[in-house]
Amino acid sequence: MRVTVAAMAGSLLGATLLGGAALAQGADCSSIQKTLTERKDIVGKVNAASQGKKAKITAAAACTLFTKLQANGTEGLKWISANKDWCSIPDSFVEGFKADHGRVSTLKTKVCQAAVQQAAMEKKARAMAAQQQQGGGGLLGGPGLTGSFRVPQGAL
């Protein structure tokens, strides 16, 4: 997933830079810059979280980032659709932005599903740990294996 996130983020950054040049033609057309700047910042956070060998990001935190990125893309697409002709936005930029938004939506779904699964597994592990502390953590409700099993004495 790390390669996919980095590749997607790189293509988003390229689209952002291209879009900045294409959209800065008029006073009304420059209003997309705020959305594109926010997008660039979110992509930077995604890249920072996925870089290096010791990347530490929880699935929940990644879900939050991708949710923000998807909302940003939805806002950007809405603005682009409304102002494409007036601001002379190239078709290639529009198609690239739509494709990136689709990839973000797909990744967001996968990352958020992983976050839900991770939370469920953590909840189950906490419940099992609590049950073991109470002495009922073994098979069929028994005490379970505790590591203190005694070997029978005498002739075998």
Side-chain angles (χ1 to χ4, degrees):
M1 181 170 149
R2 186 175 298 157
V3 174
T4 305
V5 172
M8 185 272 312
S11 66
L12 287 173
L13 181 58
T16 300
L17 295 176
L18 173 63
L23 298 174
Q25 296 173 0
D28 293 334
C29 295
S30 66
S31 63
I32 190 67
Q33 289 301 321
K34 179 183 176 199
T35 301
L36 294 176
T37 301
E38 288 173 0
R39 188 169 192 82
K40 181 180 173 185
D41 292 342
I42 297 168
V43 168
K45 290 176 184 176
V46 170
N47 280 336
S50 65
Q51 299 280 326
K53 294 179 181 177
K54 295 184 179 182
K56 299 283 182 176
I57 185 168
T58 63
C63 179
T64 300
L65 282 175
F66 276 97
T67 299
K68 289 179 183 178
L69 192 57
Q70 183 182 30
N72 176 279
T74 300
E75 180 182 332
L77 280 176
K78 181 179 175 183
W79 189 94
I80 289 168
S81 295
N83 297 291
K84 181 187 179 306
D85 294 331
W86 178 256
C87 296
S88 301
I89 301 171
D91 290 335
S92 61
F93 175 77
V94 175
E95 293 306 314
F97 198 92
K98 284 181 182 178
D100 286 339
H101 184 63
R103 284 190 292 270
V104 167
S105 296
T106 300
L107 285 171
K108 180 225 175 229
T109 299
K110 290 178 181 179
V111 167
C112 290
Q113 285 174 347
V116 169
Q117 289 174 349
Q118 183 179 21
M121 289 171 53
E122 288 172 354
K123 181 179 178 181
K124 185 177 179 181
R126 283 192 299 272
M128 288 179 68
Q131 189 178 20
Q132 286 178 348
Q133 285 179 347
Q134 295 173 357
L139 294 174
L140 303 175
L145 298 176
T146 61
S148 61
F149 184 76
R150 296 176 53 167
V151 177
Q153 300 296 316
L156 293 175

